[in-house]
């Protein structure tokens, strides 16, 4: 999945970087991605998208130290598994604006309880993990994406986040 996200980013002219405990620099280069250290991944990323399986090695992979090393303008995306990110540290980073925002569809506890603090932070987009698996959503998503790109190219962007 990370490879596909990197391909999409590259199609939009993004410089893509990657790190993984299992990734070899030559494999990253073969995919058109720059291999970086773990620390560099967090400090350089404007958008950091996580694509790992949950295991003993990945549980808590993103904690206080990693979040504090990110740019204040960075966005963290997690669509893999909730416990990969220390939820308490993420809430602190979002509330203190250590990072600009987060996009999440996985959580420590699913479904996300109605009174969960992630539902009330203003710089996080939270959706259910199964939100992408419907024909209707795909139709809306792709139609809106095309409209957004065309509007941006014409100098009149739609659906701006504030």
């Amino acid at each position: 999945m990370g490879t596909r996200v990197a391909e999409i980013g590259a199609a939009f002219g993004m410089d893509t970087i990657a790190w993984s405990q299992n990734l070899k620099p030559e494999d990253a280069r073969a995919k058109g991605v720059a291999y970086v250290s773990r620390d560099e991944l967090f400090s350089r990323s404007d958008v950091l998208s996580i694509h790992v399986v949950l295991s003993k090695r990945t549980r808590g992979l993103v904690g206080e130290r990693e979040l504090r090393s990110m740019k204040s303008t960075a966005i963290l995306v997690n669509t893999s598994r909730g416990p990969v990110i220390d939820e308490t540290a993420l809430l602190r980073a979002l509330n203190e604006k250590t990072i600009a925002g987060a996009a999440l569809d996985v959580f420590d506890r699913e479904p996300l309880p109605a009174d969960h603090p992630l539902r009330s932070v203003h710089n996080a987009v939270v959706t259910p993990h199964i939100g992408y698996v419907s024909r209707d959503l795909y139709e809306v998503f792709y139609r809106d994406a095309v409209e957004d790109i065309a509007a941006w190219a014409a100098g009149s962007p739609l659906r701006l986040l504030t």
Side-chain angles (χ1 to χ4, degrees):
M1 183 61 159
T3 300
R4 295 289 296 140
V5 170
E7 289 170 353
I8 292 166
F12 282 96
M14 296 178 182
D15 292 326
T16 53
I17 60 176
W19 169 85
S20 168
Q21 297 167 343
N22 304 313
L23 182 63
K24 297 176 185 165
E26 58 273 13
D27 294 337
R29 279 192 302 277
K31 301 281 187 190
V33 176
Y35 179 84
V36 296
S37 70
R38 182 173 190 253
D39 288 342
E40 192 174 357
L41 179 73
F42 286 95
S43 67
R44 279 186 53 192
S45 293
D46 293 310
V47 177
L48 197 156
S49 187
I50 300 170
H51 303 277
V52 296
V53 297
L54 183 61
S55 69
K56 288 180 182 180
R57 289 190 317 165
T58 63
R59 184 176 295 275
L61 184 70
V62 181
E64 189 82 31
R65 184 178 83 75
E66 291 77 18
L67 292 164
R68 292 213 175 270
S69 72
M70 293 177 73
K71 297 176 185 179
S72 62
T73 54
I75 297 171
L76 179 65
V77 178
N78 186 15
T79 59
S80 60
R81 293 292 178 257
V84 170
I85 299 175
D86 176 333
E87 208 168 78
T88 302
L90 176 60
L91 277 163
R92 188 173 14 264
L94 291 168
N95 285 317
E96 294 175 4
K97 302 205 180 0
T98 304
I99 62 173
L104 313 165
D105 77 346
V106 290
F107 312 96
D108 285 356
R109 188 168 160 213
E110 295 182 18
L112 191 63
D115 62 344
H116 195 284
L118 277 171
R119 291 184 180 266
S120 62
V121 290
H122 299 290
N123 50 351
V125 175
V126 297
T127 63
H129 191 53
I130 60 167
Y132 72 96
V133 189
S134 75
R135 181 181 177 95
D136 291 342
L137 185 65
Y138 275 141
E139 288 174 3
V140 170
F141 175 79
Y142 287 111
R143 183 191 65 236
D144 287 358
V146 169
E147 287 176 4
D148 289 341
I149 293 166
W152 178 81
S156 301
L158 300 172
R159 294 179 269 278
L160 298 174
L161 299 176
T162 59

